Amino acid sequence: DIELAGDSLILNVTNDNVSLVTASLEGFTLTLSYLADQNGIANIVVTATDDSLASVTDTFTVTVNPVNDSPIFSNPLPDLEVDEDSDDTIIDLSEVISDVDIMTNGDTLRLVVTNDDTTLLTTVINGDTLILSFIENHSGAADIYITVTDDSLATVSDTFLVVVNPINDAPIITSIPDTSTYEDSLYNYQ
């Protein structure tokens, strides 16, 4: 009994989920600090021990409820410039899109891509991969729009420009039929 016997108390706090909350004591003040983007349950145990080593323990549970965090473009996609008739360009979207709820709450993301000039290129998302396929003998510019939606319907979008530069195509002769003519005559083929 501190008041009657002049005992001092030694206070101790433990926590079984330090990835969720940190617990600290300063004097008789218990402080709980919650880590960002985490949710779950932690059991906090506070023990008080007096000079005669008598102790009392109290355990309480802290529940941190999840809230949805929207997906983000951690690195916006840069504009892209290629020459006409280029090979497909493959972009790993997992390097530019993130959502902390994937790791903490098992959130899934839905990715949708649109393209404002399908005569220039086609766009396909396969898993976390964006594939840009260029239409042969076409040049110009197109805006590519990517929209990401999580399980709670929070969305984020990004747009980038694709420029396809024209290249000179060598002329081709499709066919000249075999023919015969008289010497010193003019031959025309149309």
Side-chain angles (χ1 to χ4, degrees):
D1 189 336
I2 294 174
E3 293 177 6
L4 299 177
D7 281 350
S8 63
L9 288 178
I10 298 172
L11 299 175
N12 184 40
V13 62
T14 60
N15 168 13
D16 69 354
N17 191 350
V18 294
S19 64
L20 176 66
V21 61
T22 59
S24 62
L25 281 167
E26 187 167 326
F28 290 99
T29 302
L30 172 64
T31 302
L32 301 178
S33 300
Y34 302 96
L35 281 71
D37 301 320
Q38 300 295 315
N39 59 78
I41 296 173
N43 293 303
I44 309 295
V45 179
V46 179
T47 303
T49 306
D50 67 13
D51 291 339
S52 64
L53 301 181
S55 66
V56 63
T57 299
D58 188 27
T59 301
F60 62 96
T61 301
V62 173
T63 302
V64 179
N65 296 314
V67 294
N68 187 55
D69 292 288
S70 296
I72 62 168
F73 277 90
S74 49
N75 299 308
L77 291 162
D79 292 343
L80 177 68
E81 187 172 332
V82 298
D83 288 334
E84 177 183 314
D85 303 331
S86 289
D87 291 335
D88 291 355
T89 296
I90 298 172
I91 300 170
D92 183 358
L93 296 175
S94 69
E95 295 177 1
V96 297
I97 298 169
S98 63
D99 186 338
V100 297
D101 291 331
I102 292 172
M103 293 299 294
T104 57
N105 300 325
D107 229 359
T108 57
L109 301 178
R110 190 176 129 237
L111 296 98
V112 175
V113 62
T114 56
N115 164 10
D116 73 354
D117 188 352
T118 56
T119 65
L120 183 63
L121 73 151
T122 60
T123 54
V124 174
I125 291 182
N126 184 3
D128 289 337
T129 303
L130 171 61
I131 303 167
L132 306 175
S133 300
F134 305 99
I135 307 299
E136 188 174 352
N137 296 318
H138 284 76
S139 61
D143 284 319
I144 309 301
Y145 306 94
I146 298 176
T147 302
V148 182
T149 306
D150 70 9
D151 291 340
S152 297
L153 304 181
T155 63
V156 65
S157 296
D158 189 28
T159 303
F160 67 100
L161 178 68
V162 174
V163 176
V164 180
N165 298 315
I167 59 169
N168 185 34
D169 293 315
I172 58 170
I173 298 175
T174 54
S175 69
I176 298 176
D178 292 340
T179 189
S180 62
T181 187
Y182 295 104
E183 179 181 328
D184 298 326
S185 63
L186 181 64
Y187 175 77
N188 282 328
Y189 175 73
Q190 299 178 6

